[in-house]
Amino acid sequence: MKHQQSSMYVDLQQYQLHLRRLIPLQNALSPVLFLHGAIENGRIFYSHSGKGLACYLADQGFIGYCADFAGRGLSQPQLSTGFNQSQHQVITRDIPALIEFVYQQHQQPLTVIAHSWGGVLLAASLARFPGLISKVRAKVYFGTKRVISIQSIERKIKIDWLWNRLAPWLGRKYGYIPAKQWRFGADNEPTEFLSDTINWIKGAPYADITDGFDYAAASKQTDWPPSWHFAAVKDTVLGHPADVQNFIQETGQQHGKYTLLGRAQGYLQDYDHISMLTHPSANEDHFVQLNHWLVNLAE
């Protein structure tokens, strides 16, 4: 590895958000904040042995901050203590606090890279608080969709049955979603947060479940920073290319870059929702392209 890792925390009084910081050993460039999706944590972007997108970019000189949303990863307290959180809180409090924290560390705009549902929350937060835009140099989405429109057997199993039925039942039983214990996710999920996501996944308007703020309308008025949306050929449900493109249209981000990751498109693998960030080939593939793009933006 050409970087060092350490942990730090953003104190929001009732809870603390964990950040895994990756510092290049030399030639440090601009900062990058990483936001994970549902039933996962910041480890989707890094490993202690140096694997993952955050590690790759840190080795190229970018200073990485991999966040764990409240109750996930190493953030405190854990969900098992009875801690709960809504989607509204992530959008209106946590993401602005994380962006502000990283910005204050370096006094320069940062890039935000999000996976899956993390990108939905990022777009909502930036649309709601346009003052944050000046602190964001660019944003990158991997497999980000809001509504799952695809109909298939896989969708019926993973979404209609597991996410919409089993997961809420587990939430009522345990007080949180034990996705890791039940082996359908890399981390657990707050019950209230999951309930909020179900409405949007089913196609409810892109408006805040708590206070009704219209994210769709605000998005269309937002002067977005440079954006790049990645979709994967084998992402057949959780970030289907058609749903990724629908999200781009819904949020008025048509001027951003869009890339489909598959062999037919010239890439080394037919990637899926997870492997687009974890496959070893990514280091020689789209990670290289992303690094070049970020370097050009930083110049």
Side-chain angles (χ1 to χ4, degrees), residues 35-106:
L35 302 177
H36 64 81
I39 55 172
E40 62 185 27
N41 56 49
R43 290 293 295 275
I44 189 69
F45 295 110
Y46 75 95
S47 71
H48 297 302
S49 62
K51 298 176 182 178
L53 177 58
C55 294
Y56 174 84
L57 289 178
D59 287 346
Q60 311 310 310
F62 289 94
I63 306 168
Y65 293 86
C66 300
D68 291 331
F69 285 135
R72 290 79 141 188
L74 296 179
S75 292
Q76 298 294 330
Q78 295 292 300
L79 298 177
S80 57
T81 65
F83 176 79
N84 204 358
Q85 189 187 47
S86 69
Q87 188 169 253
H88 173 83
Q89 290 171 298
V90 180
I91 294 169
T92 62
R93 189 179 190 196
D94 295 9
I95 292 178
L98 289 166
I99 290 174
E100 185 65 36
F101 179 85
V102 175
Y103 180 83
Q104 291 301 328
Q105 295 295 305
H106 302 278

Side-chain angles (χ1 to χ4, degrees), residues 51-52 56 268-269 271 274-288:
K51 298 176 182 178
Y56 174 84
L268 297 175
Q269 304 292 333
Y271 295 96
I274 300 299
S275 69
M276 63 169 72
L277 287 174
T278 61
H279 198 288
S281 293
N283 281 20
E284 308 164 39
D285 220 355
H286 50 290
F287 285 6
V288 177

